[in-house]
Each structure stands twice: as C-alpha cells, then as structure tokens.
C-alpha cells in the first residue's frame, strides 16, 4: 500500500472526525442521566434499521463525553480518528504513548451496542485485566456490561458457567491465547449446555503485529490422552549423531533435510528398503524430529533447560519462558532426548488452530500497534487488512541517533556501558534494551562491576515488569530489559527529566526485525516528550550468527583483519533482512499447511454444532451408512469365510450369533449382504424397543454420532500434526512438499470419514442403553 493511499485514508478519517466533533457541545450539555439514556436510544435506532456507521458520529461523541466524566480523559482528535479506523476494520499504527487504551473505548462501545459482543485481545493477562479495570467504569456508566476473560493467577481456571457469563457481556477484554483456547474447548463439549461462546462478531487486536505476525505460525494445541510412548527417540538421536553435514544432510537457514546419501544410509542402518513407505512412517518421523532438534532448534534462543531440569521453550518475540508449552508432534521429546533429560509423555493433539485462521473467522477484525506499517504488505496478503498510520498528537521530539557498529561483542558491550554511564551521570534515566535474556544478564553484571544500581526485566512476569517499567523514566533510573518486557506500559517522565533530554534508550544488538527496533525506540519520546535512542550492534549479534557463515566472520571478530563500519552495517542489516524474509516465508508455509486442517475443522465443527443443537440422524440415514459399511467390508474381503464374518458381526452389529451364519454360502455376496443388513435392522429395532421413545432414541443416536466424530477427529488432528513434521524433511527428494502434504491429508480424511461411519453404526447397535425412572438416558458405549 503506497503512502498516497494511506494519506487518502487519513483524510477520510478526518472528515469523519469532524462529524463526531459536531456533537461535542450537545453531549457536554447533557446531564449524566440524559447521557446514559443515549445508549438505549442508539440501540433503538439499530433496531429500527440504522447501521453502526449511521450512528457512529453521535455514539463516538457520547462515549468521548463518558470518558471525560468517568475517566477524566477526553480523547484527542487523533485518538478519535484511530477509533474510527478501528471501527472501519483497519489496522492502525499509533505511536507508543498515544493512548491506545482510551482509543479502544470508542469502537468497543459502538460495536457493543449491537448486543453481539465486542472483544479486545492483547498480549498478556496483566494488560487485559488492567484495561478492563481502568476502562470498565466508563462502559458501565453507559449501561454496557464488561468482563475480563483471564485471571491474574494463570493456574486458576474459569468454570464453564463463568465463561458463559463472561462471553455474554457486551465488552470482553482477554488475551489472544485465552480466547483461542476457549474456541477450541468450546468445540470439544459434549452437550449444547456446556457451550459458552457466542458467534464471533467484532474484535480489536492490541499489539496486532506481535499477534498476527510474530505469533501467527505457532498453533494453539489442546493435548489429550497420551499416546503410547515411542522407544524410537533414543535410536533416532544416536543415528543423527553419526551423520556428517553436507554429506548426509544439508542445512539452509531454518530448514534441514536429508541428502540422498543420508536417506540410503538410514535405510541401510534400519534394514528397510524404502524409508518413505507408510509402514516406516514412525521411523522416518523420528529421524526428522531428531535432525531438527540437533541442527536447527537452538539452545539458549529457542529453548533453555530450567532449574528443574526440564526443556522450557522461549518466546522469540518476548524472550519469555513459555510455561507449560511444548513443541508438538514429538519435537519436544526429541529435544529432551538430545539434552539427555527425562523424556516427557507425548500427548495426542485433540484440537489445533493458528492465529492466522482463528482471527480470520471474525466477521469484523481490526487491530492497533505502535509498529505495524513496516509489515503492511504481508498483513494485506494474509488477512486482507489495510494499515493506516495515525498522526501523533504532538510532534515527535525524540532524537534517533545513528547506529554504532563493532566487530565483536566485547567492544559492543563496553560501548553500551560507557554510553549508559555518560547519560546516567547527568541524572538522565536510561533503558538498555537487549534481544536476548542472556544479554540482560551480561549487561547487569557489567553495571554491578561499575557499582550502578539498576532493575533487570527479562520478560518472566508481566505483572511486576509493568510496575518496574513505569519507573524507568524517573531521574537517575537505570533499567535493563529484553525488547518485549513490559510492552504496553507507558514510561512517564519524572520531575526534571525533560530538561535532561528525556528517557535514553540504548539498544544492544540488531533485533529480529525493524518493528522490534521501532518498538524499543518508541519507549522514549512519548506524547511529544524529548527522548534519545541509539542502537549498538556487532558481528556477534545472535541474528548475524544465525544468518551468516561464522567461519567467514571469524577473522574479523578475532581482530585478525580489520573491517569497516560500512561493511559491518551491511552484514548486520542483511542478516536482519534475511530473518524477516524467512519469518514471512515460514508464516506463509504455516498458513498453507493449515488450509487443509481449516477446511476439515469447519466441516467437523459444523457437524458437531448441528448435533449439539438438536439435530440427529434419522433411521434412513443410519441404514444408508450401515450399507456403506457392509459394502466396504465385503470389498475388503473377497474370499470371505465364517470366522471373518462372525468377527465383523461381533465387532460392529450384535454380540449374539444365530445358526444361519454357520450354514451360509459365503460366495453368494448378495445373500451375505442381505443377511448382515437384516441383523442391522434387528439390532436397531431392539434399541428402539428398549427406549420406547422417539426423543430418547434421537438423543441416543446424537450422542453415539458425537462420540464417533470426536474420536476420529482427535486421531485426524494428531496425525496431521505428525505428518507436517515428517513431510518437512523430504526436501532432498525434490518433491512438492505442500502437494504431498495436501494429498496425504486428504487421503487420511477419507479414511477418517469411513471410520466415523463405522463407529456411528457400531455405537448405535452395540451400546448398552436404558432410561431410568426419571427418563434420564444412560449409555455405555462399546
């Protein structure tokens, strides 16, 4: 999207702003009761056929006045413009400190008037709870209900009734992960009474770039019953340790694959003729997992060993340790094996969805961030969303200084400390921002050596981080933090700090992308305050080591050869550009992989909803399904004999046998088919007679069908998670990986459909079922 187009959007927003402002005096003249009565008036207008766009100017003006009376804050013109953009479905870039929290009250109020629910999601529980608590009184003043969908203590969970109450509110503040998991859980319930979510309506995503881009490829996965623990992890790990790079496997950026020689070696090692054959799927899957664990998943950047000796994942965008989160498809267990710690149980994936597909389900989605314009093209391609840059309320006074470049990290850290001390000596507050948790520890150690008191935030606890980061703008404060620590919390300047030049931000290391760097710089110079920022980078930055051959840089890092700042700049910036391109490619690949699951998920969830909402399978449909099952059985058994037929009958139709099955001519296919279908009819009529109630029979069939669907769907989701990892290791064979994945996924879905049909009939015909004296249904599924 070109700059001209952005300007034209801003002009439209300014025209809408004038309409809102035209109501300002009228709203100010109203009593509290009259202002509150506007909500009822707006709802009536909507009921009479008016649209949200029709009432937007007046509704925004009413909420602006409510914000002033309740929160003692009247939104600035630029905040009203941003609110209009959010209502219109844009992704709005608002500079740090421009008041995104207050801005959101306007579109949230407007869209909450429909009674369909308006949801705001943000990065962590602290921000969701804070914003709901601080903004809530204004919504309540205007007669709308509001709730937070998270708790401060992550270990505390809401009951279903509590969730139903929360999501029934007009306004909900929550986190993206909590909402995503609630969606998956809502589609695993066994009865309509257990459902708690309404149909999706309107959503605002705070820190939208972090959610829609940085976290987009990581799927939300609900794990269920553990699978049988594999004994292949140790064997695969040992095998991988014997391989030679460029001979047996090749690595390029964040991808690794076996060469033809490596595959031949694996076939020889395991004594098999074709490692891609279906019967060797598990062996190949474990080899791919072990190869990835050793060659591309890095300790210290992507995971760490916790104090308790467990493999703990690290969130790349925040540096946070992800508690309780594991890599899927056995990858976590492969890393545990590599690190020689206890291998945890590999659980089945019961339900899964990526943020890309999840947020695309909302009819009306918008978002805001301080750093989203740089990713405008990808956001439009993936989500069909346009980005608009909202002007700042006051001109930016921050001084963004040119980067400093060094050949090695020792000089880099020394320069950062010198600059920090120079600023600190004047009383100017300093915020040192690093890319990695380990770097915060190095900086902290150097500051301790200099005798400088300081706070360290390495993104472990969002609640106390926010309290500390608030104080980072006080006179003489020295704060060390990872790039995401305390994100979403304003740093306000203490008395006398403006005269010293405001907050000084010193960035150590080239960050994963330009957006993260802009976010770090944006910590200083909020709302027209003065500020200072400078980044200090080197050839030993993590992003350079990942994206460049370290041997080529060794001579410069060790000082054996000199290198110009210009050359360092080129190498470092090129590494960042490659990382951004790889990230974009990975997100596109993740979306392509998830297309299959998305289509299948919709079909399965729609079917579940139909059943939960009272739908059932009538007798004619059940008989047709049974006929399909019988035809498939006969096709699979061209040389049918007595024991095979008896086994089929006992496993699928009836636990009792009659004499006719022993004297039957098994070659007479029509006769056999007619006999089996007669047994189906008899078993079905026995169930009808037992229940003696059409409603009870419908409920029984509904529960039988749900159970069959859920069991098969869990297996399918779990298989696709494993298949994705296995297919990614086939690059050596010069194959179209996405085509292969889609083909195999489609084939597995067809098998799943057959399994569902088989199990529906099996559940209906073989279950033990009865009605008690209170007409309550009791079912014991086979």
């Amino acid at each position: 999207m070109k700059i001209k187009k952005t300007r034209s959007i801003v002009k439209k927003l300014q025209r809408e702003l004038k309409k809102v402002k035209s109501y300002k005096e009228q709203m100010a003249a109203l009593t509290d009761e009259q202002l509150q009565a506007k909500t009822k008036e707006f709802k009536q207008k909507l009921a009479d056929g008016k649209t949200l766009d029709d009432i937007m100017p007046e509704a925004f003006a009413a909420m602006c006045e409510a914000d002033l009376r309740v929160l003692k804050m009247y939104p600035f013109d630029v905040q009203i413009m941003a609110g209009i953009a959010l209502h219109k479905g844009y992704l709005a870039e608002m500079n740090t400190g421009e008041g995104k929290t207050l801005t959101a009250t306007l579109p949230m109020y407007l869209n909450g008037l429909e009674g369909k629910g308006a949801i705001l999601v943000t990065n962590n529980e602290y921000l969701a709870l804070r914003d709901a608590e601080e903004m809530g009184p204004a919504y309540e003043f205007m007669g709308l209900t509001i709730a937070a969908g998270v708790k401060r203590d992550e270990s505390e969970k809401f009951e279903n009734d509590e969730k139903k109450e929360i999501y029934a509110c007009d306004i909900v503040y929550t986190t993206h992960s909590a909402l995503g998991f609630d969606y998956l859980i809502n589609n695993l319930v066994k009865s309509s009474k257990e459902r708690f979510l309404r149909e999706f309506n309107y959503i605002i995503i705070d820190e939208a770039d972090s959610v829609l881009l940085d976290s987009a490829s990581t799927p939300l996965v609900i794990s269920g019953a553990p699978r049988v623990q594999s004994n292949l992890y140790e064997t695969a790990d040992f095998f991988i340790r014997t391989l030679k790079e460029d001979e047996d496997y090749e690595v390029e950026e964040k991808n690794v694959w076996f060469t033809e020689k490596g595959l031949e070696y694996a076939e020889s090692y395991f004594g098999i003729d074709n490692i891609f054959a279906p019967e060797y799927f598990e062996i190949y899957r474990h080899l791919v997992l072990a190869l990835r664990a050793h060659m591309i998943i890095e300790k210290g950047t992507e995971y760490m060993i916790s104090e308790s000796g467990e493999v703990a994942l690290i969130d790349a965008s925040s540096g946070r340790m992800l508690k309780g989160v594991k890599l899927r498809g056995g990858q976590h267990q492969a890393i545990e094996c590599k690190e020689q710690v206890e291998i945890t149980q590999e659980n089945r994936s019961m339900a899964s969805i990526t943020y890309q597909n999840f947020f695309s389900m909302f009819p009306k989605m918008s978002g805001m961030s301080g750093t989203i314009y740089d990713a405008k093209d990808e956001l439009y391609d993936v989500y069909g969303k346009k980005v608009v840059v909202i002007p700042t309320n006051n001109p930016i006074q921050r001084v963004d200084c040119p980067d400093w470049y060094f050949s090695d990290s020792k000089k880099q850290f020394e320069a950062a400390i010198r600059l920090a001390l120079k600023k600190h000596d004047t009383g100017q507050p300093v915020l040192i921002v690093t890319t990695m948790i380990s770097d915060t520890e190095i900086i902290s150690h150097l500051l301790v050596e200099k005798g400088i008191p300081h706070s360290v935030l390495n993104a472990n606890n969002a609640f106390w981080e926010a309290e500390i980061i608030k104080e980072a703008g006080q006179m003489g404060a020295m704060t060390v933090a990872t790039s995401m620590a305390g994100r979403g919390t304003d740093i306000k300047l203490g008395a006398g700090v403006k005269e010293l030049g405001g907050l000084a931000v010193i960035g150590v290391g080239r960050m994963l992308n330009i957006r993260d760097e802009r976010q770090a710089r944006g910590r200083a110079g909020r709302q027209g305050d003065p500020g200072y920022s400078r980044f200090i980078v080197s050839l030993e930055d993590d992003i350079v080591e990942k994206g460049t051959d370290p041997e080529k840089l060794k001579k410069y890092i060790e000082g054996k050869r000199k290198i110009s700042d210009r050359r360092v700049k080129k190498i470092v910036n090129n590494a960042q550009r490659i990382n951004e391109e790889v990230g974009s490619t990975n997100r596109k690949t993740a979306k392509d992989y998830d297309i299959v699951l998305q289509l299948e998920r919709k079909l399965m969830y729609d079917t579940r909803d139909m059943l939960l909402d009272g739908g059932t399978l009538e007798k004619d449909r059940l008989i047709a399904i049974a006929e399909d099952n019988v035809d498939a059985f006969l096709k699979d058994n061209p040389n049918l004999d007595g024991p095979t037929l008896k086994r089929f009958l006992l496993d699928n139709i009836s636990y009792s046998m009659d004499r006719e099955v022993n004297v039957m001519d098994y070659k007479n296919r029509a006769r056999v088919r007619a006999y089996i279908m007669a047994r189906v009819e008899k078993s079905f009529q026995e169930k009808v007679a037992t229940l003696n109630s059409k409603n009870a029979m419908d409920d029984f069939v509904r529960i039988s069908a749900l159970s069959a669907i859920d069991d098969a769907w869990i297996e399918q989701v779990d298989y696709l998670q494993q298949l994705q990892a296995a297919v990614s290791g086939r690059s050596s064979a010069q194959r179209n990986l996405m085509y292969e994945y889609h083909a195999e996924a489609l084939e597995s879905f067809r098998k799943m459909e057959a399994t569902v049909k088989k199990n529906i009939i099996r559940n209906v015909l073989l279950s033990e079922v009865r009605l008690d004296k209170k007409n309550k249904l009791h079912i014991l599924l086979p």
Side-chain angles (χ1 to χ4, degrees):
M1 184 167 54
K2 297 179 180 177
I3 296 290
K4 277 186 180 178
K5 190 134 189 192
T6 301
R7 285 175 182 161
S8 70
I9 295 172
V10 170
K11 285 181 179 178
K12 289 178 183 176
L13 296 177
Q14 287 170 335
R15 287 196 292 271
E16 294 291 337
L17 169 66
K18 288 180 180 178
K19 296 178 185 176
V20 175
K21 295 296 286 290
S22 69
Y23 286 96
K24 183 176 181 180
E25 290 184 9
Q26 179 184 326
M27 295 300 164
L30 299 176
T31 64
D32 284 356
E33 291 75 14
Q34 289 170 329
L35 182 60
Q36 291 168 327
K38 282 289 177 183
T39 296
K40 187 175 181 181
E41 181 185 319
F42 295 144
K43 287 184 176 181
Q44 187 58 51
K45 286 182 178 179
L46 292 173
D48 292 341
K50 294 282 187 181
T51 66
L52 289 178
D53 286 345
D54 293 333
I55 68 168
M56 183 196 70
E58 190 177 359
F60 266 42
M63 194 62 198
C64 285
E65 183 62 27
D67 286 338
L68 176 63
R69 296 188 190 186
V70 180
L71 308 175
K72 310 305 179 190
M73 296 183 287
Y74 192 96
F76 297 124
D77 286 1
V78 291
Q79 290 176 307
I80 297 172
M81 285 171 59
I84 296 167
L86 292 172
H87 165 63
K88 297 288 187 184
Y90 290 108
L91 299 174
E93 175 170 301
M94 296 179 71
N95 265 31
T96 302
E98 289 292 300
K100 293 190 287 292
T101 307
L102 185 64
T103 294
T105 62
L106 307 179
M108 290 290 281
Y109 170 72
L110 175 64
N111 285 272
L113 291 170
E114 285 188 305
K116 299 177 183 177
I119 299 174
L120 187 145
V121 292
T122 191
N123 254 335
N124 59 58
E125 289 80 5
Y126 165 77
L127 293 174
L129 289 167
R130 181 202 70 180
D131 293 355
E133 184 179 336
E134 292 183 359
M135 303 295 112
Y139 296 122
E140 290 170 344
F141 175 83
M142 292 299 288
L144 296 189
T145 54
I146 175 174
V150 291
K151 292 187 177 184
R152 183 184 176 99
D153 186 345
E154 293 178 31
S155 64
E156 293 182 19
K157 304 297 180 186
F158 289 110
E159 297 295 329
N160 269 29
D161 287 346
E162 292 178 292
K163 287 184 180 180
K164 192 176 291 186
E165 196 173 316
I166 288 166
Y167 288 113
C169 287
D170 300 312
I171 309 286
V172 176
Y173 281 76
T174 187
T175 64
H176 49 76
S177 58
L179 182 63
F181 278 121
D182 278 346
Y183 167 74
L184 294 176
I185 292 167
N186 194 65
N187 282 286
L188 289 172
V189 299
K190 298 298 184 183
S191 73
S192 58
K193 293 178 182 178
E194 294 175 358
R195 287 189 299 195
F196 49 82
L197 278 180
R198 296 198 273 179
E199 284 190 26
F200 290 148
N201 178 41
Y202 176 68
I203 192 165
I204 296 176
I205 304 169
D206 192 16
E207 306 294 359
D209 57 333
S210 174
V211 178
L212 297 179
L213 298 175
D214 301 330
S215 301
S217 302
T218 305
L220 297 165
V221 179
I222 290 181
S223 298
R227 58 172 58 254
V228 176
Q229 188 73 327
S230 169
N231 60 1
L232 288 171
Y233 289 112
E234 291 88 350
T235 307
D237 189 81
F238 181 82
F239 173 78
I240 294 302
R241 292 176 189 271
T242 68
L243 302 182
K244 296 178 182 177
E245 187 171 355
D246 295 330
E247 286 188 29
D248 300 312
Y249 67 90
E250 293 179 7
V251 182
E252 183 179 323
E253 293 163 358
K254 294 296 288 182
N255 291 313
V256 62
W257 58 86
F258 290 103
T259 61
E260 289 296 336
K261 183 180 177 183
L263 291 173
E264 289 170 5
Y265 174 34
E267 289 170 344
S268 171
Y269 184 89
F270 288 96
I272 56 182
D273 53 359
N274 177 13
I275 200 164
F276 292 130
E279 58 266 35
Y280 303 125
F281 175 81
E282 283 298 312
I283 292 177
Y284 180 70
R285 178 173 81 94
H286 280 77
L287 292 181
V288 171
L289 293 173
L291 187 66
R292 288 175 57 82
H294 277 273
M295 308 309 167
I296 64 173
I297 301 177
E298 298 182 49
K299 183 178 180 180
T301 57
E302 293 174 72
Y303 72 91
M304 59 187 288
I305 306 299
S306 69
E307 292 179 1
S308 59
E310 298 176 347
V311 171
L313 301 183
I314 298 172
D315 185 342
S317 66
S318 68
R320 295 183 193 279
M321 188 168 69
L322 297 169
K323 297 176 184 176
V325 178
K326 291 184 178 182
L327 292 171
R328 65 195 188 284
Q331 188 65 74
H332 206 88
Q333 287 70 25
I335 296 172
E336 291 169 333
C337 190
K338 165 194 168 184
E339 295 295 340
Q340 298 183 345
V341 300
E342 183 181 351
I343 299 177
T344 58
Q345 187 70 52
E346 180 187 352
N347 290 333
R348 296 182 186 277
S349 298
M350 294 178 64
S352 172
I353 195 168
T354 62
Y355 286 126
Q356 287 169 326
N357 280 322
F358 178 60
F359 287 117
S360 295
M361 294 168 64
F362 280 82
K364 194 173 174 183
M365 181 261 278
S366 61
M368 51 187 176
S369 171
T371 52
I372 203 167
Y373 185 74
D374 296 295
K376 63 186 183 305
D377 294 333
E378 183 178 350
L379 289 164
Y380 186 77
D381 290 343
V382 175
Y383 299 98
K385 289 292 173 184
K386 295 178 181 177
V387 176
V388 57
V389 179
I390 304 298
T392 56
N393 189 48
N394 294 305
I396 296 174
Q397 302 295 325
R398 185 183 64 245
V399 178
D400 294 326
C401 298
D403 297 346
W404 284 348
Y405 299 94
F406 294 92
S407 58
D408 62 88
S409 58
K410 185 174 184 295
K411 294 174 185 173
Q412 174 189 23
F413 282 99
E414 287 173 349
I417 295 297
R418 280 198 307 272
L419 178 58
L421 292 179
K422 181 181 176 183
K423 298 288 183 183
H424 181 69
D425 287 344
T426 69
Q428 187 174 4
V430 178
L431 173 62
I432 302 176
V433 182
T434 70
T435 57
M436 299 170 63
I437 292 175
S438 56
D439 288 348
T440 64
E441 294 166 355
I442 294 170
I443 293 288
S444 178
H445 177 72
L446 293 172
L447 288 172
V448 168
E449 286 184 343
K450 298 291 183 180
I452 305 297
H454 59 281
S455 300
V456 181
L457 287 77
N458 47 25
N460 281 325
N461 187 305
F463 287 91
W464 63 257
E465 280 169 20
E467 296 304 314
I468 293 175
I469 206 78
K470 282 179 184 176
E471 305 303 315
Q474 300 303 308
M475 182 84 75
M478 178 72 74
T479 310
V480 184
T482 52
S483 59
M484 289 290 288
R487 185 171 178 175
T489 305
D490 271 348
I491 301 175
K492 296 181 180 179
L493 302 184
V497 171
K498 283 186 181 181
E499 291 74 15
L500 297 173
L503 177 67
V505 172
I506 301 172
V508 179
R510 180 59 78 233
M511 295 194 170
L512 294 174
N513 52 61
I514 292 172
R515 291 181 289 105
D516 283 353
E517 291 182 7
R518 289 183 59 209
Q519 181 74 29
R521 292 186 194 273
R523 293 291 182 87
R526 60 179 295 281
Q527 280 291 334
D529 286 342
Y532 170 96
S533 75
R534 187 188 294 276
F535 269 80
I536 304 172
V537 301
S538 80
L539 295 178
E540 288 193 281
D541 286 347
D542 183 59
I543 198 169
V544 180
E545 291 180 344
K546 284 181 181 177
T548 314
D549 183 356
E551 288 301 314
K552 291 182 180 178
L553 303 178
K554 196 173 180 181
K555 53 184 179 247
Y556 302 119
I557 293 170
E558 294 178 349
K560 294 177 182 177
R561 286 192 62 180
K562 288 189 175 182
I563 185 170
S564 67
D565 284 0
R566 184 177 178 184
R567 176 84 173 127
V568 174
K569 178 180 179 181
K570 185 177 180 181
I571 292 170
V572 172
N573 290 351
N574 188 54
Q576 185 185 62
R577 180 183 57 79
I578 290 172
N579 183 76
E580 289 184 317
E581 289 173 355
V582 169
S584 180
T585 300
N586 288 344
R587 287 189 289 270
K588 184 181 183 303
T589 301
K591 186 188 179 192
D592 290 343
Y593 273 123
D594 204 44
I595 284 174
V596 172
L597 190 55
Q598 180 188 10
L599 295 172
E600 294 182 6
R601 185 192 303 112
K602 185 176 188 316
L603 179 61
M604 299 305 289
Y605 285 179
D606 285 351
T607 303
R608 288 189 95 258
D609 285 342
M610 180 274 290
L611 292 168
L612 288 173
D613 290 331
T616 189
L617 299 174
E618 298 296 340
K619 181 185 176 182
D620 290 350
R621 178 67 181 132
L622 288 171
I623 295 299
I625 293 173
E627 287 176 336
D628 289 343
N629 294 346
V630 172
D631 290 341
F633 166 70
L634 293 174
K635 183 180 179 182
D636 292 340
N637 293 276
N639 301 312
L640 185 65
D641 56 21
T644 304
L645 177 58
K646 288 177 183 178
R647 185 75 265 161
F648 176 75
L649 292 170
L650 286 168
D651 287 344
N652 298 279
I653 294 168
S654 175
Y655 291 134
S656 61
M657 290 289 108
D658 57 23
R659 292 180 181 178
E660 190 175 350
V661 74
N662 295 316
V663 295
M664 189 178 300
D665 178 5
Y666 302 118
K667 292 181 181 179
N668 187 336
R669 315 293 281 184
R671 178 74 189 87
V672 172
R673 185 180 190 278
Y675 170 76
I676 297 174
M677 289 309 301
R679 293 299 304 272
V680 168
E681 177 70 29
K682 181 181 177 184
S683 293
F684 184 80
Q685 291 303 330
E686 287 172 355
K687 291 295 185 295
V688 172
T690 299
L691 294 174
N692 196 28
S693 163
K694 174 77 165 62
N695 288 340
M697 189 65 191
D698 286 347
D699 287 343
F700 167 55
V701 170
R702 184 183 305 116
I703 292 168
S704 298
L706 272 173
S707 176
I709 289 169
D710 288 347
D711 289 346
W713 177 237
I714 287 169
E715 290 296 326
Q716 175 70 352
V717 171
D718 189 54
Y719 174 71
L720 291 181
Q721 297 287 346
Q722 298 172 59
L723 180 64
Q724 201 169 319
V727 167
S728 67
R730 298 184 186 175
S731 303
S732 61
Q734 303 290 313
R735 304 175 177 206
N736 183 326
L737 300 187
M738 203 57 65
Y739 174 80
E740 289 203 10
Y741 175 78
H742 284 187
E744 292 190 34
L746 180 60
E747 179 60 27
S748 70
F749 186 75
R750 286 175 179 152
K751 290 178 181 177
M752 184 199 74
E753 283 185 307
T755 301
V756 169
K757 287 181 176 181
K758 177 181 176 182
N759 287 341
I760 287 175
I761 300 303
R762 184 170 182 270
N763 287 347
V764 170
L765 300 184
L766 294 182
S767 291
E768 292 183 25
V769 58
R770 65 182 177 84
L771 280 174
D772 62 20
K773 293 178 180 179
K774 295 181 180 179
N775 282 331
K776 185 177 179 181
L777 199 62
H778 294 268
I779 303 170
L780 181 62
L781 293 167

